Amino acid sequence: MSISAEQLIADYFDRAQMPSLPTGHFINGAFVAGDSGEKLQSFDPATGEAFAEFVAGNATDVDKALAAATKGFEAWRKTKPADRVALLNRAAALMRQNHDLLSFMETLDSGKTLAEAEGDVAGSARLLEYYAGAADKLDGRSVPMGPDQMAWTVREPVGVTAHIIPWNYPTSTFVRGVAPALAAGCSVVAKPAETTPFTALMIAELLSEAGLPDGVMNVVTGLGGDAGAPLVVDPRVKHVTFTGSVATGVNVMQAVAPNVTRLTLELGGKSPLIALSDCDVEAAAEGALWAIFSNSGQICSAGSRLIVHRDIHNALMDKLLTRAKGLKVGHGLRNPDMGAINSQAHLDRVSAHVERAKARGCNIVTGGNVMTDPETGKGWFFEPTIIDDLAQDDPAVQEEIFGPVLAVQVVDSDEEALQAANGTEYGLVTGIYSRDISRALRLARDVDAGQISINDYWAGGIELPFGGNGKSGFGREKGWEGLDAYTKFKSITVKL
Ligand code: NAD
């Protein structure tokens, strides 16, 4: 399967040819047809044209996957941890061997640039290696209880886990949940988003090729209501990891409540980059640019607000506007600065937000319009957009737009910056730019967010836990803490 990215891209653009793609759900170690026989189409967001079909799953398909996962769990939980280490490392190596194909598919399915997809695929292989390293270190502790008792804790896998994946990071969101689950000894049923099903199916096959027993890793494709809803509500599922919108997250929370199923929610955000009056303006402008325009702003943790001190507002905006106006937008496979919006429906949502801002008289200083690929005149794109000098209660400050739209807020003090940062219902990420580390750390202490970066925005990584506060959700993924969702503690005592 190790075909080069150049070959794949030439086949796609010049010869209208696609590599052979998975055609069914991945259940019990094999690709299988769906129960209903119905198919959904997958679209290239950068052309708006369909390039493949995949199975529209339903409750019967989910039932089969859960039966396989229930059986798979019994075998997998008993494997030696050292065998899990070796297997997950083999899977990571296979991901690296298939790096070009996976990156190509990720770009085609999601609309992101090839460079972004390549970063996601390489990072996902690292995630597998990181959790491979954890699989034989999940020990408990012995607890002193006095002379007449011995006691200790055991960390056990929770059982079958369900993973609901969004479309903005189909590969890395999938792997960041699946890797710790498998390392802990859990089995998996995953449901990718309806616009981006392919990389999860391909990675499931690679895990199987690496030696994962049948039934441990299952992927059911389809619509959220038809395939996701019956999965999360099933009592055989012992943990649900949901990444997606707040509205669906609330639905999932209500759906799992009767079974008291464990839940991780990774939801939306309205994360700020704060530029204090003493910051390096050049660095803050560059940080703000990529905080919002990476992945066309379709990132839960995008820096979708810039909170800037009045003293440096003009200087920072000059630099930021020059850079934003120079960004090249186009087909992700041609590796521009910014790729497409994932679907027509989502483009309409982004556009509606900005049209409402226009109607309110907001100051849109660049962008603000739907566009197409300048080379082909096709596809679903939105101009890099900046709205200046917004009030805290403006909807563009409060609501997640999930597109390339930056809301700028001007403040007169650090205290005002803090209030602005904490003044939404989200709490995912904050970037703080200042040359005074004490000043920056005071804000880091008081900002309510899951992760804070000083003089950087996209910091962190696989080793650091990631997750939100408030309506950004709860639970942490990545890092050692990412294993907590997939393990439970048992205490054992012996009377002497
Ligand atoms: P979405 O909520 O529409 O869909 C997410 C997933 O849920 C999809 O796979 C969908 O099919 C499934 N789904 C829909 N209804 C369901 C139901 N009733 N039961 C079970 N599953 C169901 O979200 P989206 O539009 O695909 O993703 C964008 C949102 O995700 C944004 O709000 C973004 O902030 C958030 N997001 C958060 C993170 C994070 O780590 N915090 C990461 C990526 C995206």
Side-chain angles (χ1 to χ4, degrees):
M1 255 214 295
S2 51
I3 181 166
S4 76
E6 291 74 22
Q7 179 73 52
L8 287 158
I9 293 167
D11 283 350
Y12 182 70
F13 281 139
D14 305 339
R15 293 180 275 282
Q17 274 175 21
M18 286 290 300
S20 68
L21 295 174
T23 50
H25 304 303
F26 191 81
I27 298 177
N28 210 22
F31 288 112
V32 296
D35 165 66
S36 71
E38 283 170 23
K39 296 277 176 73
L40 295 166
Q41 285 187 310
S42 210
F43 293 86
D44 174 355
T47 61
E49 289 160 6
F51 65 86
E53 287 187 333
F54 61 97
V55 173
N58 63 17
T60 305
D61 300 322
V62 168
D63 180 60
K64 284 182 193 152
L66 282 170
T70 304
K71 222 165 141 211
F73 174 61
E74 286 314 315
W76 185 237
R77 70 184 304 189
K78 292 178 193 138
T79 50
K80 281 191 183 151
D83 293 344
R84 278 185 234 147
V85 173
L87 191 148
L88 291 174
N89 277 322
R90 276 200 301 277
L94 284 170
M95 271 196 80
R96 291 189 197 286
Q97 275 172 32
N98 290 279
H99 168 271
D100 283 14
L101 176 58
L102 289 166
S103 306
F104 169 84
M105 270 323 299
E106 188 76 338
T107 295
L108 210 52
D109 245 1
S110 68
K112 65 179 67 198
T113 66
L114 189 62
E116 283 165 338
E118 287 173 341
D120 295 346
V121 171
S124 299
R126 267 284 297 133
L127 270 164
L128 278 171
E129 287 162 352
Y130 179 85
Y131 286 110
D136 58 353
K137 297 170 190 67
L138 293 168
D139 44 21
R141 62 193 175 100
S142 98
V143 182
M145 300 284 288
D148 302 326
Q149 223 186 138
M150 285 182 77
W152 62 92
T153 63
V154 182
R155 224 184 225 260
E156 298 179 337
V158 295
V160 176
T161 60
H163 301 250
I164 306 287
I165 315 296
W167 45 258
N168 59 338
Y169 281 88
T171 296
S172 50
T173 312
F174 172 71
V175 177
R176 84 179 177 194
V178 163
L182 295 177
C186 298
S187 61
V188 169
V189 180
K191 210 295 285 172
E194 39 272 64
T195 55
T196 53
F198 286 112
T199 47
L201 290 166
M202 292 159 94
I203 296 165
E205 189 182 24
L206 293 179
L207 280 158
S208 183
E209 206 178 317
L212 195 69
D214 293 350
V216 180
M217 176 76 241
N218 307 277
V219 178
V220 176
T221 56
L223 300 174
D226 297 342
L231 173 60
V232 298
V233 82
D234 195 289
R236 284 169 288 184
V237 170
K238 302 303 176 202
H239 184 95
V240 174
T241 295
F242 173 83
T243 309
S245 62
V246 176
T248 313
V250 170
N251 277 344
V252 169
M253 206 170 167
Q254 286 167 338
V256 305
N259 294 330
V260 197
T261 308
R262 302 157 57 114
L263 179 64
T264 300
L265 289 180
E266 296 282 9
L267 306 177
K270 197 73 196 183
S271 298
L273 183 150
I274 303 172
L276 296 180
S277 55
D278 68 342
C279 75
D280 175 341
V281 172
E282 185 92 46
E286 198 64 17
L289 183 85
W290 293 115
I292 184 61
F293 298 128
S294 298
N295 213 38
S296 304
Q298 301 163 111
I299 313 184
C300 53
S301 48
S304 51
R305 292 189 292 148
L306 168 63
I307 299 171
V308 54
H309 195 282
R310 194 174 306 280
D311 289 353
I312 56 163
H313 173 240
N314 287 346
L316 200 156
M317 288 303 284
D318 279 352
K319 289 183 194 302
L320 182 56
L321 275 172
T322 306
R323 291 285 280 120
K325 286 177 181 168
L327 290 179
K328 293 204 167 29
V329 181
H331 198 297
L333 289 175
R334 298 189 212 278
N335 243 339
D337 299 312
M338 213 177 84
I341 300 296
N342 180 250
S343 64
Q344 176 73 62
H346 189 56
L347 180 62
D348 292 345
R349 275 197 294 269
V350 171
S351 174
H353 272 287
V354 176
E355 289 307 315
R356 288 196 293 273
K358 286 179 188 169
R360 291 194 298 276
C362 294
N363 182 18
I364 298 176
V365 287
T366 190
N369 300 297
V370 168
M371 61 178 285
T372 52
D373 180 350
E375 225 165 292
T376 62
K378 298 182 195 170
W380 305 317
F381 294 87
F382 202 83
E383 293 173 349
T385 298
I386 302 179
I387 315 178
D388 200 7
D389 202 6
L390 287 161
Q392 185 68 29
D393 61 357
D394 191 276
V397 166
Q398 294 296 326
E399 295 168 6
E400 184 181 49
I401 299 175
F402 217 59
V405 182
L406 178 65
V408 181
Q409 300 175 258
V410 186
V411 294
D412 289 297
S413 67
D414 293 13
E415 181 51 36
E416 223 184 291
L418 175 65
Q419 278 171 19
N422 285 345
T424 73
E425 46 188 19
Y426 296 104
L428 197 47
V429 166
T430 298
I432 302 166
Y433 281 70
S434 169
R435 286 192 169 93
D436 179 341
I437 192 66
S438 299
R439 210 173 150 186
L441 281 174
R442 272 195 290 276
L443 273 183
R445 180 194 61 201
D446 295 336
V447 164
D448 186 24
Q451 36 282 306
I452 315 270
S453 299
I454 294 174
N455 292 326
D456 204 347
Y457 193 80
W458 296 117
I462 283 148
E463 303 82 356
L464 267 179
F466 175 85
N469 301 336
K471 285 203 177 166
S472 294
F474 53 78
R476 293 294 180 262
E477 298 197 88
K478 305 202 281 189
W480 194 255
E481 291 79 358
L483 289 152
D484 290 347
Y486 306 106
T487 53
K488 55 188 179 185
F489 280 103
K490 179 181 278 172
S491 299
I492 300 178
T493 63
V494 182
K495 188 175 184 317
L496 299 178

